Amino acid sequence: MEVLGIDIGGSGIKGAIVDTKSGKLLSDKIRFSTRDTSTPKLILKDINDNIIKKLTWNGKIGCGFPGIVKENKIYSSANISKKWVGVNLKKKFFKKFDLECVVCNDADAAGMAEITLNKDLNTKGTVIIITVGTGLGTAIFNDGKLVPNIEFGHLKMYGDCAEKYTSNYVRKKQNLSWKQWSKRFTEYLLFVESLISPNLIIFGGGISKYFDEFKSDLKCNSKIIPAHYKNDAGIIGAAINSVK
Ligand code: BGC
């Protein structure tokens, strides 16, 4: 089925039409920056102007959001306006654009793309995907089944959220070298491993394309691999989630 996948992020918003069976993008990928004033009203206007209208889309939408999402309603929002909390995004899409939309957490979406579509993956036991971007997103699967809304980016490290210590945003802001950042991320990986003993860690998000630059500096006990769908996983997984 063809679905418009949208990935709302703290720094950028992306969208493309996705074939939910193969995970192939059937249109150009559109990306634009998230406004500083990232309220639902303005972001939805941007999504309509920059994605829905440009792709002349009038079918189903799957949307990933950077916060806790239950039954299409937003329950937390760390790197985007707090005005999202309490919003039922499915209802908003319907009311504003008369379009059907299914919403889930952005890391859960990325994980779904990797787990469902990458047939080479051994999904036995506990698999965690960690998306490294403006925040740190985490999705945990047990024998291929998602445990939704795991917020391990908010584990406490040095008195604050782990994502304030080792996200890609922090790496750029503090001008950390790959080595310096990898040292921090290794601490985080070991912390996560001490809690859930994963069989496999999938490294996702914007910087997964640079995985080769720092993989030898990441020290952990589990196997760690880059996301197969890299930064498109969020779009693809959001689309897949809308038809499952
Ligand atoms: C949010 C998560 C999200 C992650 C990546 C965190 O700040 O709490 O829900 O998955 O950022 O966007």
Side-chain angles (χ1 to χ4, degrees):
M1 187 174 168
E2 293 184 15
V3 171
L4 173 61
I6 297 176
D7 184 7
I8 301 180
S11 313
I13 299 173
K14 303 182 280 289
I17 300 169
V18 177
D19 172 28
T20 55
K21 217 165 170 194
S22 65
K24 280 212 169 76
L25 301 192
L26 302 173
S27 71
D28 285 345
K29 183 168 79 176
I30 297 176
R31 185 196 184 278
F32 59 93
S33 297
T34 310
R35 297 170 181 245
D36 291 341
T37 315
S38 50
T39 57
K41 194 171 169 200
L42 294 174
I43 295 290
L44 285 170
K45 182 184 179 311
D46 287 348
I47 289 177
N48 191 35
D49 291 347
N50 297 320
I51 302 179
I52 299 176
K53 279 189 186 159
K54 282 205 178 129
L55 295 172
T56 56
W57 186 251
N58 59 9
K60 195 165 192 175
I61 297 179
C63 182
F65 182 85
I68 298 169
V69 182
K70 286 185 184 177
E71 284 158 27
N72 303 294
K73 189 170 162 187
I74 313 297
Y75 284 83
S76 76
S77 150
N79 295 307
I80 195 164
S81 166
K82 296 282 174 269
K83 291 219 166 111
W84 284 93
V85 177
V87 168
N88 185 314
L89 200 42
K90 181 188 175 101
K91 284 191 185 154
K92 277 257 185 276
F93 267 96
F94 196 71
K95 205 167 147 202
K96 280 186 178 282
F97 315 124
D98 200 18
L99 292 175
E100 196 196 333
C101 177
V102 179
V103 191
C104 67
N105 171 265
D106 57 353
D108 287 352
M112 263 182 268
E114 298 293 324
I115 296 280
T116 322
L117 296 171
N118 186 358
K119 301 290 176 219
D120 295 335
L121 217 58
N122 182 353
T123 58
K124 230 178 145 11
T126 303
V127 176
I128 181 167
I129 172 156
I130 306 176
T131 61
V132 182
T134 315
L136 283 187
T138 52
I140 294 182
F141 292 80
N142 186 254
D143 288 339
K145 198 169 169 357
L146 174 71
V147 184
N149 290 309
I150 298 288
E151 289 281 336
F152 276 8
H154 291 262
L155 287 171
K156 290 284 169 290
M157 285 182 85
Y158 303 109
D160 208 338
C161 284
E163 67 180 17
K164 297 261 167 60
Y165 182 60
T166 189
S167 69
N168 192 34
Y169 174 77
V170 170
R171 181 188 67 85
K172 288 198 258 186
K173 203 160 170 220
Q174 298 186 4
N175 218 357
L176 301 175
S177 66
W178 285 126
K179 257 215 151 51
Q180 287 168 321
W181 173 82
S182 301
K183 199 163 166 258
R184 289 186 180 199
F185 198 72
T186 290
E187 284 179 61
Y188 174 68
L189 286 175
L190 294 173
F191 187 14
V192 168
E193 280 189 320
S194 73
L195 298 173
I196 57 159
S197 308
N199 294 4
L200 176 68
I201 300 175
I202 304 175
F203 186 99
I207 62 169
S208 54
K209 59 174 179 278
Y210 303 117
F211 190 73
D212 283 347
E213 304 275 337
F214 51 77
K215 70 172 178 205
S216 58
D217 289 319
L218 299 180
K219 314 271 182 252
C220 57
N221 303 306
S222 332
K223 184 175 174 193
I224 179 162
I225 57 166
H228 182 76
Y229 294 96
K230 307 269 183 313
N231 214 17
D232 291 345
I235 299 176
I236 299 169
I240 293 177
N241 177 58
S242 76
V243 295
K244 75 170 191 322

